[in-house]
Amino acid sequence: MNVMAKAEKKISSAFIYFFGSFGGILFGYDIGVMTGALPFLQADWHLENAASLVGWITSAVMFGAIFGGALAGQLSDKFGRRKMILMSAIVFMVFSVLSGVSPDMGEASAYYLIIVRMLLGLAVGAASALVPAYMSEMAPAKARGRLSGLNQMMIVSGMLLSYVVDFLLKDLPGEWAWRLMLGLAAVPALILFLGVLRLPESPRFLLRKGDEAQARKVLSYIRKNPAEIDQELASIKETAKEERQANQKTSWSTLFSDKYRYLVIAGVGVAAFQQFQGANAIFYYIPLIVQKATGQAASSNLMWPIVQGVILVVGSLVYMWIADKFNRRTLLMVGGAVMGLSFILPAVINWMIPNMNPMTIVVFLCIYVAFYSFTWAPLTWVLVGEIFPLAIRGRASGLASSFNWIGSWLVGLIFPIMTASMPQEAVFAIFGIICILGVIFVKTCVPETRGHTLEEIEEQGTNHGRVKASNPEN
């Protein structure tokens, strides 16, 4: 036991934060890998004219993630954050390999891959829910903003990694290219599994299970001041007590009572708009978008995903720099306005100048990704983490996550169907209108959370509910 304790004490806070957030790499890799694999898969399985099957193969992961996040959240309360992250890594490894070895059975192959990717989505959804929860419970309060940026950095780094892997494998024979692209997702999952084996359990979970001695030991790895450890233990105990009381008094209907409806609509609405604005249409289909715009084969356009990935990484660094310098609403509205114009302007220019350079739309998509990367991409989850009062936080956060994954799934599913039936510029113009509607939504329905305590934010929602109740015509 003493030997184990000494070994555990060698764990540095940097190691804990790195591997605690490394699950974001898995999330990001699987978002990005299909971008490069899809052109080769389409050619190998002759799916060029099967838009609905292509949409399902691409979006199946997001469909599984809808359920994976909710399931992992409940199981992690029973078994612990660390064990569920380990389980997610195993599931991710298994189904990544099974994706890469998909049998060639004609149309049945597509259905096999859809089912396997749905099961893979369980792990993706679990990672997206477990990593932020683990990080928020391990990080000191003063570092939570930066560490939320670290999670975003891991996600976009995973996307960039998948784009680079796709590019490096593009000259292999078509069948080998897409199989290796999908199968190599098992490598970061293995790294995550080996790293998390050495991670301690969350002190919050340990306290909930009554193991205060182990919780204190874990906090000693990541907190320097003994007085700070005592204060945090007391705070965790008090918060856990309040949450138990809150959960006993609330139900799903509580979310839509006059007291909480305003904040629930704000948080869930922002989470939904983030996906319905069409970002994943770019991330999943950029080679096909360039192919349709220029006539060049999608498999020869795999440099463009790397360009998008670099923009995303730079944008996440910009966000970490400006996160606490500007109001949340300001960044969301400016970002949404530029994103909307980036989608709408190509359609307007194409209408005014029918022979415009086909790469114009790709340039505007890069502008969209740049503004998305430091506004809606990270701020959605910062705002969702701040806006829900304690009494409804668990249920409301789960609802927001579900709507976000539903939006991601639908965009991935319907984009190839839409582009098969109408001009690409028109499809993006529709997403542009949704971006503008998102700006209006933030302006009219979302309170400012920067610089406010959680209690002050809750009071804003309560006061808004009282005003609405007393002035129903408003």
Side-chain angles (χ1 to χ4, degrees), residues 50 58 78 81 112 174 199 223 264 279 281 306 332 399 427 470:
T58 304
K78 183 176 182 180
R81 284 47 164 154
Y112 166 89
L199 289 188
R223 308 287 187 269
V264 170
I306 296 178
L332 288 173
L399 187 65
V427 175
S470 60

Side-chain angles (χ1 to χ4, degrees), residues 258-259 261-263 444-447 457-471 474:
D258 288 340
K259 182 176 182 180
R261 187 187 304 121
Y262 171 59
L263 295 178
T444 58
C445 300
V446 178
I457 295 167
E458 181 171 351
E459 185 64 22
Q460 287 185 70
T462 303
N463 290 339
H464 192 276
R466 287 174 185 152
V467 170
K468 286 292 183 182
S470 60
N471 300 285
N474 294 334

Side-chain angles (χ1 to χ4, degrees), residues 347-421:
V348 174
I349 294 172
N350 189 56
W351 173 66
M352 297 175 64
I353 310 172
N355 296 319
M356 77 171 186
N357 188 319
M359 290 304 292
T360 302
I361 189 171
V362 181
V363 173
F364 276 105
L365 293 186
C366 290
I367 296 172
Y368 173 99
V369 171
F371 277 80
Y372 176 81
S373 67
F374 67 85
T375 58
W376 281 82
L379 276 170
T380 293
W381 300 112
V382 173
L383 192 140
V384 165
E386 294 172 333
I387 203 168
F388 297 130
L390 177 64
I392 60 167
R393 189 169 299 153
R395 287 184 173 89
S397 297
L399 187 65
S401 179
S402 294
F403 269 84
N404 187 265
W405 279 116
I406 289 169
S408 179
W409 165 59
L410 285 174
V411 169
L413 176 64
I414 67 174
F415 181 77
I417 300 172
M418 293 171 72
T419 55
S421 59

